[in-house]
């Protein structure tokens, strides 16, 4: 008795279908395909063996084989589509950006946070010192009219004192009428005007802020720097009150180790006027490049309010008197922390900045 060439067709087909289901990637499928359905497959071998059959038996067997082949091809193409979809999803997952992800290798660890710059923290410390002495804190605009920056401060146009401040002008309105403020003193005027308008004299206030001058940067100067203005308008104020405030401030901010002095000076808006200096903390008064070998560093100017300023804002100089001062915040930071060159404050060198975190 002869055996049929398709005797194992069911079993072989079942094995092929199981093998197809076990393929786990497109690459594996491409590699296995010739053995499942190609010339080297069991179905092709069976096809070849049909040649020896009688015509009727060959036709029947051919039809069975054809059906088995169709099943295997369908299973293969379903598996191919499934594996292609899986591959697409895997790629999508890989390409997905999780914006909340922290790539640990790219951050400094332990993580660091920013901190206020030395100038900002100095400004806060100075405000604290004056608030403890009973002053309020106010601020004013950085762009000023010529009137606030100069004229109301008793510095009319063409007055030689304008040369004390090398000015940046803003191209707005009439030429040279709008300025980047060269000092915080114009804020005194705003404050006095509003105190008059609201009948809220006396004034005891400090006004910190940014100032601008066409100064060439050097060890003690920047083109953009900071001042803290002080203004007291009250009854019976004298130069002795001003000297007392400056003495108290020096001890509170620098401690008792530092020597300070007031030297006669000239400002058009105060009379008498003085410059406030401290011993250079870089050389301890010996003389160095920072203090131009004088042993002293000027921190600011001050004086008793000139009656012309009081009358410019409508304050009765017979009833009220006052004093004002303006200290360089950057200079205060420089002397407190013994910084030989003020330009270090704006150079953004992390090694320098981190010392003040
Ligand atoms: C003034 O600006 C006056 N407005 C101060 C004043 C106020 C006098 C109230 C009387 C009454 P002066 O130009 O000297 O003064 O500047 C005061 C301080 O600002 C200086 O002592 C210095 O500490 C700081 N300063 C001035 N120019 C610069 C600059 N280019 N860079 C850094 N700090 C500066």
């Amino acid at each position: 008795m002869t055996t049929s060439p398709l005797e194992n067709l069911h079993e072989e087909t079942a094995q092929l279908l199981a093998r197809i289901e076990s393929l786990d990637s497109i690459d594996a499928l491409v590699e296995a395909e010739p053995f499942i359905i190609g010339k080297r497959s069991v179905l092709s071998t069976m096809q070849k063996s049909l040649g020896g059959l009688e015509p009727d038996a060959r036709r029947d067997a051919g039809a069975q084989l054809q059906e088995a082949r169709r099943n295997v091809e369908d299973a293969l193409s379903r598996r191919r589509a499934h594996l292609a979809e899986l591959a697409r999803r895997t790629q999508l997952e890989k390409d997905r950006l999780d914006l909340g992800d922290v790539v640990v290798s790219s951050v400094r660890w332990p993580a660091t946070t920013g901190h206020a710059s030395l100038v900002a923290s100095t400004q806060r410390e100075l405000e604290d010192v004056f608030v403890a002495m009973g002053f309020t804190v106010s601020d004013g605009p950085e762009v000023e009219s010529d009137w606030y920056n100069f004229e109301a401060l008793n510095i009319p146009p063409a007055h030689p004192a304008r040369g004390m401040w090398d000015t940046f002008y803003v191209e707005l309105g009439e030429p040279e009428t709008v300025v980047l403020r060269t000092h915080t003193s114009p804020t005194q005027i705003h404050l006095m005007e509003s105190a008059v308008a609201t009948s809220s004299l006396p004034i005891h206030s400090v006004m910190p802020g940014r100032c601008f001058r066409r100064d060439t940067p050097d060890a003690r100067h920047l083109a953009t720097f900071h001042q803290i203005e002080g203004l007291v308008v009250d009854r019976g104020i004298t130069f002795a009150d001003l000297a007392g405030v400056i003495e108290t401030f020096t001890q509170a901010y620098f401690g008792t180790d530092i020597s300070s002095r007031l030297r006669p000076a000239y400002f058009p808006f105060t009379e008498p006027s003085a410059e406030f200096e401290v011993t250079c903390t870089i050389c301890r008064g010996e003389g160095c490049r920072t203090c131009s070998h004088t042993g002293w560093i000027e921190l600011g100017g001050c004086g008793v309010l000139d009656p012309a300023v009081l009358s410019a804002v409508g304050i009765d100089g017979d009833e009220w008197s006052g004093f004002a001062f303006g200290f360089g915040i950057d200079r205060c930071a420089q002397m407190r922390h013994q910084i030989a060159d003020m330009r270090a404050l704006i150079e953004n060198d992390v090694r320098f900045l981190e010392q003040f975190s």
Side-chain angles (χ1 to χ4, degrees):
M1 179 180 147
T2 53
T3 55
S4 158
L6 301 190
E7 195 178 15
N8 297 328
L9 181 60
H10 270 309
E11 204 176 298
E12 293 289 358
T13 307
Q15 277 180 17
L16 287 174
L17 294 176
R19 182 164 178 204
I20 290 169
E21 281 308 300
S22 72
L23 295 172
D24 59 1
S25 71
I26 292 283
D27 283 350
L29 184 145
V30 168
E31 201 179 313
E33 200 170 5
F35 303 97
I36 294 173
I37 204 75
K39 285 189 188 131
R40 283 182 263 175
S41 67
V42 65
L43 294 180
S44 293
T45 311
M46 286 179 174
Q47 180 80 43
K48 281 177 205 146
S49 65
L50 299 188
L53 295 179
E54 292 300 316
D56 283 352
R58 188 167 356 128
R59 199 176 45 249
D60 284 352
Q64 281 183 54
L65 209 49
Q66 208 44 40
E67 194 187 339
R69 179 177 279 279
R70 237 190 341 266
N71 286 342
V72 170
E73 279 173 353
D74 285 353
L76 254 184
S77 72
R78 278 197 307 275
R79 190 72 189 159
R80 192 193 317 276
H82 174 72
L83 291 173
E85 176 62 14
L86 270 188
R88 194 182 69 85
R89 286 193 192 173
T90 309
Q91 190 60 38
L92 271 182
E93 190 59 30
K94 234 163 76 189
D95 292 347
R96 192 173 65 96
L97 274 185
D98 182 348
L99 299 181
D101 252 7
V102 176
V103 182
V104 174
S105 61
S106 74
V107 296
R108 295 173 63 194
W109 201 258
T112 51
T113 51
H115 57 86
S117 73
L118 178 58
V119 174
S121 59
T122 301
Q123 178 175 322
R124 274 184 221 147
E125 281 173 51
L126 295 174
E127 286 171 13
D128 287 349
V129 167
F130 285 108
V131 166
M133 290 162 72
F135 286 75
T136 58
V137 180
S138 319
D139 60 13
E142 292 178 352
V143 177
E144 285 284 12
S145 66
D146 181 273
W147 193 79
Y148 280 101
N149 198 76
F150 292 123
E151 278 194 60
L153 288 163
N154 204 23
I155 318 169
H159 190 288
R162 289 202 178 204
M164 292 167 78
W165 298 281
D166 217 346
T167 309
F168 285 112
Y169 289 95
V170 178
E171 284 184 9
L172 198 71
E174 290 292 303
E176 303 200 353
T177 53
V178 181
V179 305
L180 293 185
R181 69 175 174 195
T182 56
H183 49 177
T184 40
S185 297
T187 316
Q188 289 180 33
I189 305 297
H190 289 289
L191 218 59
M192 287 191 278
E193 279 180 342
S194 86
V196 168
T198 55
S199 305
S200 52
L201 287 171
I203 300 170
H204 298 83
S205 193
V206 287
M207 297 142 268
R210 203 152 42 152
C211 307
F212 311 85
R213 287 186 199 176
R214 289 161 58 104
D215 283 346
T216 306
D218 64 21
R220 293 194 310 270
H221 296 90
L222 298 172
T224 299
F225 60 99
H226 303 77
Q227 288 186 340
I228 184 162
E229 192 81 9
L231 175 69
V232 169
V233 179
D234 209 333
R235 294 184 175 90
I237 296 293
T238 68
F239 195 91
D241 298 305
L242 168 60
V245 164
I246 290 184
E247 175 72 12
T248 311
F249 156 76
T250 314
Q251 301 220 343
Y253 182 68
F254 289 104
T256 45
D257 272 1
I258 201 157
S259 308
S260 64
R261 68 181 186 187
L262 288 172
R263 288 205 316 156
Y266 168 73
F267 294 101
F269 34 94
T270 47
E271 178 59 31
S273 305
E275 268 167 6
F276 165 55
E277 297 183 330
V278 292
T279 331
C280 176
T281 56
I282 312 295
C283 60
R284 304 238 150 243
E286 298 282 305
C288 66
R289 196 177 60 85
T290 305
C291 60
S292 300
H293 304 281
T294 63
W296 292 92
I297 293 278
E298 179 202 314
L299 288 187
C302 58
V304 172
L305 292 182
D306 192 298
V309 174
L310 293 176
S311 77
V313 292
I315 293 179
D316 178 0
D318 290 332
E319 183 181 357
W320 303 96
S321 56
F323 65 76
F325 56 81
F327 299 158
I329 295 179
D330 319 74
R331 284 274 175 93
C332 287
Q334 182 178 22
M335 283 302 103
R336 167 91 171 258
H337 299 281
Q338 296 159 32
I339 298 163
D341 195 314
M342 190 186 276
R343 286 168 290 194
L345 293 175
I346 54 164
E347 274 166 0
N348 287 339
D349 183 332
V350 173
R351 291 165 302 178
F352 172 80
L353 299 175
E354 277 180 346
Q355 297 176 65
F356 307 104
S357 57

